[in-house]
Amino acid sequence: MKFKMLLAATALSIGFSGAAHAFDDKEKDEIGKIVREYLLAHPETLIEVQQAYEKKQAAERAEQAKTAVKDNHDAIFNASYDLAVGNPKGKVTVVEFFDYNCGYCKRAVGDMDAIIKANPEVRFVLKEFPILGQDSVDAHKVSNAVRLVAPEKYGDFHRALMSGEHANEARAVEVAKSLGIAEDALRAKMTEAPNDESVRDAYQLATKLGITGTPSYIIGNEAVFGAVGEEELAKKITSVEQCGKTVC
């Protein structure tokens, strides 16, 4: 039995692909049965393997993001088409990739505002990343026009569009008009500068950083995936203030 257990463990560790030349069909069939019996008797092994695989993937993703942050620093933190809320000259910059129709992004607005209120040294860059369909793309075109026509109202526009129902072009225009921005000026700017380049850049950066969903954040040298909440973001910001990295 010990031999069978060892054989099963060996088969699991090296895989059939690497061992195929060493076993004939009868032996491979016997190994398969042993492995199956072992996994049925110890199903927790599959969970351990899955957890190890996920941990390895997370580590690889984090390393990919760290390299991408270093290689694309200015495009991430200082793109000319991005606007920031909070302190425009803050010592710590948080970059958020967001979509106006992302439910988690809507809830994360409260995290952003709480962080800005608690820490006057935070510069919060909003990187428009419409990935949830044509309505999101259209809403972001309006948002870009707001940025160009009335940049001082961009933060209020962002919060208002995030706080309500489904975002599309019509609703985004209504939100902008409610803030006193003329629709004809918006429409003209949407035609002149439809936001294609900045969105394309955001997509390319997201690919390099391993970002596949919203919200995602860049803080210091790290990409933070998902709506992790105010407390977790604040911890990373504090670390960046102390040593320039999210983990000192």
Side-chain angles (χ1 to χ4, degrees):
M1 185 63 184
K2 287 184 179 180
F3 170 75
K4 287 187 175 183
M5 297 293 282
L6 179 61
L7 188 59
T10 301
L12 283 171
S13 65
I14 65 176
F16 284 116
S17 60
H21 68 281
F23 303 108
D24 60 28
D25 290 342
K26 182 178 180 181
E27 289 169 330
K28 285 189 285 184
D29 184 60
E30 179 65 19
I31 292 172
K33 291 178 181 178
I34 295 169
V35 171
R36 182 176 183 278
E37 290 174 3
Y38 179 81
L39 292 177
L40 288 173
H42 304 277
E44 67 277 5
T45 301
L46 293 175
I47 298 174
E48 293 172 6
V49 170
Q50 179 66 23
Q51 290 173 338
Y53 176 65
E54 290 174 354
K55 185 176 180 180
K56 182 173 182 281
Q57 277 191 316
E60 291 174 348
R61 192 181 187 191
E63 192 60 34
Q64 173 190 342
K66 187 179 295 185
T67 300
V69 170
K70 180 180 178 181
D71 293 344
N72 300 274
H73 186 275
D74 283 344
I76 294 169
F77 293 99
N78 301 306
S80 60
Y81 46 74
D82 290 335
L83 286 187
V85 294
N87 184 351
K89 296 182 180 180
K91 294 179 180 178
V92 179
T93 297
V94 177
V95 178
E96 179 187 351
F97 287 72
F98 75 95
D99 183 302
Y100 277 116
N101 282 312
C102 164
Y104 293 105
C105 298
K106 292 178 185 292
R107 291 193 286 275
V109 171
D111 298 331
M112 176 188 75
D113 284 337
I115 287 169
I116 290 170
K117 183 178 179 180
N119 190 333
E121 290 299 333
V122 173
R123 171 178 175 258
F124 217 106
V125 172
L126 298 167
K127 191 168 287 290
E128 308 212 7
F129 185 46
I131 57 174
L132 297 176
Q134 189 60 46
D135 281 350
S136 290
V137 172
D138 294 342
H140 280 272
K141 288 180 183 295
V142 178
S143 178
N144 180 64
V146 169
R147 177 185 68 80
L148 296 171
V149 172
E152 73 283 359
K153 296 183 179 181
Y154 181 83
D156 290 337
F157 171 86
H158 175 81
R159 292 179 178 90
L161 191 54
M162 277 293 196
S163 66
E165 58 198 48
H166 183 76
N168 54 26
E169 180 180 310
R171 181 165 176 269
V173 169
E174 286 305 310
V175 169
K177 288 167 60 179
S178 74
L179 296 171
I181 303 172
E183 182 174 353
D184 58 349
L186 282 177
R187 297 286 182 189
K189 192 59 69 174
M190 288 166 63
T191 300
E192 176 189 333
N195 201 27
D196 295 337
E197 182 179 352
S198 59
V199 169
R200 183 167 56 248
D201 288 350
Y203 288 164
Q204 291 173 347
L205 282 175
T207 299
K208 294 174 182 177
L209 291 161
I211 291 174
T212 57
T214 54
S216 290
Y217 304 89
I218 307 299
I219 307 174
N221 63 336
E222 181 183 350
V224 180
F225 307 103
V228 297
E230 175 194 351
E231 183 177 350
E232 184 65 20
L233 293 175
K235 286 180 182 178
K236 293 181 183 298
I237 290 168
T238 298
S239 293
V240 172
E241 287 179 310
Q242 293 173 348
C243 68
K245 300 182 292 184
T246 54
V247 179
C248 293

